[in-house]
Amino acid sequence: MIPVAEFKQFTEQTPAFKILKPWWDVLAEYITVAMLMIGVFGCTLQITQDKIICLPNHISADAVSQISCQQFIQNPPASNSSDEDYPASTPTPSSTKSPPREMSGLRNNLDLQQYSFINQICYETALHWYAKYFPYLVVIHTLVFIIFGNFWFKFPGTSSKIEHFISILGKCFDSPWTTRALSEVTGETPQEKAIDRDVSKLNLEENGSPAIAPTIPDKLVADTSSASVLDKKEGEQAKALFEKVKKFRHHVEEGDLLYSMYMRQTVLKFCKFLLITIYNAALVGNIHFIVPCSVHTEEMTGYNSFCCNHTKAHLFSKLAITYICFLSVYGLTCMYTLYWLFRRSLKEYSFRSVREETGIGDIPDVKNDFAFVLHLVDQYDSLYSKRFAVFLSEVSESRLRQLNLNHEWPAEKLRQKLQETPEGRLELHLFKLPGLPDTVFEVTEMESLKLEMLSEVIIPPMVSKLVRLQELSLFNCSAKLQNGSLAYLRDHLRVLQIKFDTIKEIPLWVFSLRALDELHLIGFVSQDLSKNAAFESLKELRSLKVLTFKSNLSKVPPTVSEVAGHLQKLSIHNDGTKLLTVNALKRLSLLKELELIHCDLERIPHAVFSLSNLQVLDLRENSLHTIEEIISLQHCRKLSVLRLWHNQIAYIPEHIRKLKSLEELCLNRNKILVLPPQLFLCTKLRHLDLSYNEIRELPPEVGVLQLLQYLSLTGNFLEELPNELFFCQKLKTLKLGHNKLGSLSPKVGSLVGLLKLELKGNRLEVLPQEIGQCVSLRKSGLVVEQSLLDTLPTELREKLSEE
């Protein structure tokens, strides 16, 4: 006996696979069960009851066709009163047409065995094979139908995909996020879309640049206040489901194995149905109740013809007719299946109705095997596809990610990350997050928002809560704006920094920010600036005052001249790429600050000399060998800051004295050997940096710089200092480190405003005690070796240590 527990593995698969069994497959399955019961019932009768019972015919016949059993039944033989001529159990032959004849068979007591023998011989030879094997054929054919109907559930190439799909489908159906998404995630109504088009059109008319069409509905992010937070475990499970669905879709959409296998097994079932129906209809008439039989056993039994009763013929004929009826219904299901398979394409599945019903407008249509299994699921229950579609939507995934992100980054945690920038703004720096938390917009005290390497950033209308927000930084982070947020930032944002890998990453909405004062672009661009639409759109920024490029420009973008009417600062910081064309600078008449850094310049560009309002010129980290053109800078009458450090300048021309308004001069890290006395005729100098050159002597004319507050001569070859240096009474910072000074003049005490004195790296043996007269100098501002500091009196050291 087989224990019932052995069938448990089969019954456990039924609830799972039933999802992919449409009503016709379920009906066919029940029909096969009925047909199998017919076959098993017939087989049982074959085993438990006599198969055939034969009686001798009194008319001798040489062939089966000559035997008339019907006549034998209508005129049964009369009983013989003599017990001596025949065995007690042997019937006495008689005939109405011929006189009785004496039989000459052997006399014995084996009459029961004789008729058993005759029964077996006649069953094997006289009974038609269909009547004998009908139950077994039913069982075999039904098992074949069962195999054909379930083969794709067992075939390795399809069963793995089906099991995986059913597993994912069940989890998606039961996931708490599915219910949340269907109830909360809504798309834009037609009215909202019309409003978006109007706003976009307005942007285009006002700015002259392409309008920015939001890809995510405003309502999706705006309703976060009423949304509850999912359990963390449930959120992680839903997140994992999104990844599984993506991988399954990518794997299954590539082929049509499931569809092909299902279609082939249906065609095979239909062909087998036709074959079985035809031969059963043709052979069912061969099941007879009376079967004539001719067996040459006269010497054994005294007869050679018999009439046999097929005891189950009547029942088998009824079972056969019933079987054919079930078979016909089964065939109809096969025909309907083929009609369903071929009447329309099942390799494409549209979620249009789901999109319209749920409002999740980005659910993609699917194809091939993925589409086919969804069509099958719809035949079971269309609710499965509706709930499953939630995990195909990027909007839904974004919403889930947003909820998890909000839970992970509450407003209080974000407030702890606030830091003050060098400009004095409170900045929130978010790095490598999967999105922008909605809780950011609750930190209303924030003035600067820096987003670095965030993925899929969408700035919702809630940005209007950040009333103090002035600066936005997007570092390798593509951001999309919704119409409400664009309208707010367009009027309130003042500073924008964008770091990109390609120029195409700069969002077009940037050029709609009409109130923008500063724009800083960091990234590499194509050398053909005519192909850069972003640079062409610079002219839309009518209020821009500061423009910075940290890139690889070979020429100043021509569109920079479009903002010449209001641009005050232009900074081009190259990566060493030679800046060849700077003619566009001539049009920047209001420019106050110009930075051309690391641009491989060999001379001061002539276009600079026409900038009459220029106040700051920064040409550091170039390849300047000479600055003879510096005399032309006298036309820049307002020039007060000149930075030429990190170049190859060997000498300073005498006509530098023409720069009367110069207040800051940086010539550090060059190759200057001699300082011309005319340099110190720039009497307005407050900041002079000559560090890390090859200067051996400081001219006494340095004493003329009565306004000098910062002087750096670090890293030169000075052996002594002129006493005139200490006439600069306003000096606050004096850097003389890493020279060859052997002594320091006691007149250093006259620098009463000195805050920092650097002497480390010289040849000094003692420090003058007059250093104590520098009343503003403290130990923290005195940079010397400890041994030199120890040469000072204890009282002086204590005085310097006082705060």
Side-chain angles (χ1 to χ4, degrees):
M1 294 294 291
I2 301 177
V4 178
E6 294 295 328
F7 296 96
K8 185 178 180 181
Q9 56 178 328
F10 300 103
T11 57
E12 286 179 347
Q13 294 179 359
T14 303
F17 286 97
K18 68 179 181 180
I19 297 175
L20 295 181
K21 288 186 177 182
W23 66 264
W24 53 83
D25 280 348
V26 175
L27 178 59
E29 187 174 320
Y30 282 115
I31 293 173
T32 54
V33 172
M35 292 189 296
L36 185 61
M37 291 177 64
I38 291 174
V40 172
F41 180 62
C43 292
T44 304
L45 292 178
Q46 288 279 63
I47 297 172
T48 58
Q49 296 182 9
D50 293 334
K51 299 176 182 178
I52 194 171
I53 300 175
C54 297
L55 293 177
N57 194 351
H58 64 283
I59 300 174
S60 178
D62 295 330
V64 175
S65 60
Q66 299 175 358
I67 302 173
S68 177
C69 293
Q70 187 67 25
Q71 184 180 7
F72 177 79
I73 295 174
Q74 293 175 354
N75 302 284
S79 301
N80 194 336
S81 58
S82 175
D83 295 336
E84 296 179 357
D85 294 335
Y86 303 99
S89 60
T90 303
T92 304
S94 65
S95 175
T96 60
K97 294 182 180 181
S98 60
R101 62 189 178 92
E102 183 180 353
M103 304 307 294
S104 59
L106 295 177
R107 293 178 178 273
N108 53 54
N109 295 320
L110 300 176
D111 55 323
L112 183 60
Q113 286 82 353
Q114 290 174 6
Y115 283 105
S116 295
F117 175 77
I118 295 300
N119 291 344
Q120 294 297 329
I121 292 296
C122 289
Y123 179 80
E124 296 296 335
T125 59
L127 194 64
H128 192 273
W129 66 269
Y130 183 77
K132 290 188 294 184
Y133 302 118
F134 162 73
Y136 305 106
L137 292 175
V138 172
V139 172
I140 293 173
H141 293 328
T142 305
L143 291 176
V144 173
F145 279 132
I146 293 175
I147 292 173
F148 283 170
N150 295 277
F151 182 74
W152 75 317
F153 291 132
K154 305 297 181 182
F155 182 66
T158 56
S159 63
S160 59
K161 294 181 180 179
I162 292 174
E163 290 176 1
H164 193 190
F165 173 73
I166 292 175
S167 174
I168 294 176
L169 186 65
K171 292 178 181 178
C172 292
F173 189 87
D174 297 331
S175 174
W177 171 246
T178 309
T179 305
R180 281 287 305 278
L182 291 176
S183 61
E184 293 186 12
V185 179
T186 57
E188 292 178 315
T189 64
Q191 292 79 6
E192 289 172 334
K193 292 182 179 179
I195 292 173
D196 289 348
R197 288 194 295 269
D198 294 341
V199 175
S200 300
K201 184 178 180 181
L202 179 62
N203 293 337
L204 182 61
E205 292 175 352
E206 290 182 357
N207 304 317
S209 62
I212 298 85
T215 58
I216 304 300
D218 297 351
K219 190 175 180 180
L220 178 63
V221 185
D223 293 342
T224 54
S225 58
S226 61
S228 59
V229 179
L230 276 180
D231 179 78
K232 184 177 181 181
K233 183 179 179 181
E234 293 174 347
E236 292 298 324
Q237 290 174 347
K239 181 180 178 181
L241 275 178
F242 274 104
E243 294 299 323
K244 289 181 179 179
V245 170
K246 286 181 181 178
K247 292 179 180 178
F248 178 79
R249 179 187 175 192
H250 177 74
H251 177 62
V252 175
E253 268 194 316
E254 295 178 353
D256 60 350
L257 179 61
L258 295 176
Y259 174 81
S260 300
M261 186 64 68
Y262 187 82
M263 182 180 64
R264 290 171 185 172
Q265 72 180 28
T266 303
V267 171
L268 287 175
K269 287 194 298 182
F270 182 72
C271 293
K272 186 171 179 59
F273 150 73
L274 291 178
L275 176 64
I276 297 173
T277 303
I278 291 172
Y279 92 78
N280 272 275
L283 298 177
V284 71
N286 292 316
I287 302 177
H288 300 292
F289 184 70
I290 300 298
V291 180
C293 177
S294 176
V295 181
H296 297 287
T297 57
E298 295 90 341
E299 296 180 357
M300 178 68 68
T301 62
Y303 300 94
N304 64 354
S305 63
F306 299 86
C307 288
C308 302
N309 174 20
H310 185 199
T311 57
K312 293 174 285 296
H314 181 72
L315 182 59
F316 276 12
S317 63
K318 299 297 185 292
L319 289 177
I321 294 173
T322 306
Y323 173 67
I324 293 175
C325 293
F326 279 119
L327 192 63
S328 300
V329 178
Y330 188 89
L332 291 176
T333 63
C334 294
M335 293 174 62
Y336 183 83
T337 305
L338 292 175
Y339 167 74
W340 181 75
L341 286 170
F342 292 110
R343 71 184 175 94
R344 62 191 178 100
S345 176
L346 298 178
K347 293 186 179 182
E348 295 179 357
Y349 188 92
S350 175
F351 286 99
R352 182 175 59 184
S353 60
V354 179
R355 291 193 290 264
E356 293 175 353
E357 182 180 351
T358 63
I360 307 177
D362 72 325
I363 301 175
D365 295 339
V366 295
K367 57 185 180 179
N368 291 333
D369 278 345
F370 200 10
F372 177 64
V373 293
L374 289 174
H375 279 295
L376 286 177
V377 169
D378 276 350
Q379 297 299 321
Y380 180 79
D381 189 349
S382 59
L383 182 60
Y384 276 91
S385 297
K386 177 182 176 181
R387 296 176 71 87
F388 183 75
V390 171
F391 290 89
L392 291 171
S393 167
E394 292 184 3
V395 170
S396 174
E397 183 178 9
S398 175
R399 180 61 178 152
L400 173 65
R401 183 167 53 247
Q402 196 68 35
L403 287 177
N404 289 337
L405 198 61
N406 295 342
H407 179 69
E408 184 180 357
W409 291 94
E412 292 303 322
K413 184 176 180 180
L414 292 174
R415 283 190 175 91
Q416 296 175 3
K417 292 178 65 66
L418 286 174
Q419 294 181 347
E420 189 172 341
T421 64
E423 293 79 12
R425 298 190 182 103
L426 279 178
E427 181 181 78
L428 175 62
H429 183 191
L430 300 179
F431 179 71
K432 279 190 176 182
L433 296 184
L436 181 64
D438 293 334
T439 50
V440 165
F441 307 108
E442 299 177 17
V443 188
T444 54
E445 63 270 28
M446 177 175 53
E447 298 173 306
S448 174
L449 177 60
K450 184 176 182 180
L451 308 177
E452 184 173 0
M453 299 181 71
L454 269 67
S455 59
E456 300 182 8
V457 173
I458 301 171
I459 301 179
M462 287 192 300
V463 71
S464 59
K465 295 181 179 180
L466 303 179
V467 294
R468 301 179 63 183
L469 183 66
Q470 297 182 6
E471 181 177 354
L472 177 63
S473 301
L474 303 174
F475 283 14
N476 297 108
C477 171
S478 59
K480 299 177 182 178
L481 261 64
Q482 297 173 7
N483 286 323
S485 53
L486 174 61
Y488 179 78
L489 293 178
R490 184 171 53 191
D491 297 329
H492 294 81
L493 197 63
R494 296 290 181 266
V495 182
L496 179 62
Q497 299 187 60
I498 300 179
K499 184 177 181 181
F500 54 88
D501 291 327
T502 61
I503 195 71
K504 295 180 180 179
E505 295 179 10
I506 300 178
L508 294 179
W509 56 261
V510 168
F511 307 104
S512 301
L513 305 177
R514 59 192 179 195
L516 197 65
D517 291 334
E518 299 183 21
L519 176 60
H520 306 274
L521 301 177
I522 307 169
F524 293 98
V525 299
S526 169
Q527 292 303 318
D528 188 359
L529 297 181
S530 61
K531 296 182 179 179
N532 292 324
F535 289 157
E536 291 296 327
S537 302
L538 284 173
K539 57 186 178 182
E540 306 301 331
L541 303 177
R542 300 298 183 183
S543 300
L544 195 65
K545 294 181 175 60
V546 178
L547 179 59
T548 300
F549 295 101
K550 289 188 177 180
S551 186
N552 58 332
L553 300 179
S554 59
K555 63 180 180 179
V556 178
T559 52
V560 170
S561 60
E562 300 290 339
V563 293
H566 43 81
L567 195 64
Q568 297 183 4
K569 179 179 179 180
L570 174 63
S571 175
I572 299 178
H573 193 159
N574 270 0
D575 61 343
T577 302
K578 190 175 185 64
L579 189 62
L580 299 174
T581 306
V582 293
N583 292 331
L585 295 177
K586 295 180 179 180
R587 301 179 184 178
L588 306 181
S589 57
L590 297 181
L591 198 66
K592 295 182 179 180
E593 296 185 39
L594 176 62
E595 296 180 349
L596 302 177
I597 303 170
H598 205 27
C599 296
D600 197 25
L601 297 175
E602 296 179 357
R603 287 183 175 274
I604 300 176
H606 289 281
V608 174
F609 305 140
S610 59
L611 304 178
S612 57
N613 289 299
L614 192 65
Q615 298 178 6
V616 178
L617 177 61
D618 192 338
L619 300 176
R620 66 179 184 267
E621 298 181 29
N622 282 285
S623 301
L624 300 176
H625 289 79
T626 178
I627 52 174
E628 286 292 340
E629 304 88 348
I630 203 171
I631 189 174
S632 299
L633 287 176
Q634 63 182 320
H635 301 295
C636 305
R637 300 183 181 279
K638 297 181 180 180
L639 185 66
S640 59
V641 178
L642 180 60
R643 300 188 179 108
L644 300 172
W645 45 293
H646 265 289
N647 280 280
Q648 305 294 323
I649 301 172
Y651 70 97
I652 302 174
E654 295 180 356
H655 42 254
I656 194 173
R657 66 181 185 277
K658 299 290 186 180
L659 306 181
K660 297 295 185 180
S661 60
L662 205 61
E663 297 181 5
E664 179 180 338
L665 177 62
C666 297
L667 288 166
N668 51 308
R669 297 190 183 277
N670 280 280
K671 297 182 179 180
I672 300 173
L673 296 172
V674 178
L675 295 176
Q678 292 80 1
L679 169 64
F680 305 102
L681 296 179
C682 302
T683 55
K684 292 185 179 181
L685 275 175
R686 299 175 182 272
H687 184 110
L688 179 60
D689 192 343
L690 298 168
S691 58
Y692 298 101
N693 280 279
E694 299 176 12
I695 301 172
R696 300 181 179 276
E697 183 179 359
L698 182 63
E701 287 79 2
V702 67
V704 178
L705 304 178
Q706 291 299 303
L707 301 178
L708 193 64
Q709 297 181 11
Y710 180 98
L711 176 62
S712 177
L713 293 165
T714 302
N716 283 281
F717 300 97
L718 297 174
E719 295 182 356
E720 60 180 358
L721 298 174
N723 290 330
E724 289 81 359
L725 171 63
F726 305 104
F727 294 165
C728 303
Q729 298 293 316
K730 294 187 177 181
L731 266 177
K732 295 181 179 180
T733 300
L734 178 60
K735 295 185 177 182
L736 301 170
H738 300 284
N739 279 277
K740 296 182 179 181
L741 297 176
S743 62
L744 181 63
S745 172
K747 294 184 179 181
V748 68
S750 62
L751 304 178
V752 294
L754 199 63
L755 297 175
K756 186 168 185 178
L757 176 61
E758 181 181 319
L759 297 170
K760 193 173 184 179
N762 283 280
R763 299 174 179 176
L764 299 175
E765 296 182 357
V766 294
L767 291 175
Q769 295 186 14
E770 287 79 3
I771 202 171
Q773 299 174 12
C774 301
V775 293
S776 300
L777 186 64
R778 293 294 179 265
K779 185 177 181 181
S780 59
L782 181 60
V783 183
V784 295
E785 290 84 354
Q786 183 62 39
S787 58
L788 281 176
L789 194 61
D790 293 339
T791 61
L792 294 175
T794 303
E795 298 82 3
L796 184 55
R797 291 200 304 271
E798 292 177 353
K799 180 182 178 181
L800 291 173
S801 300
E802 294 177 359
E803 295 297 335

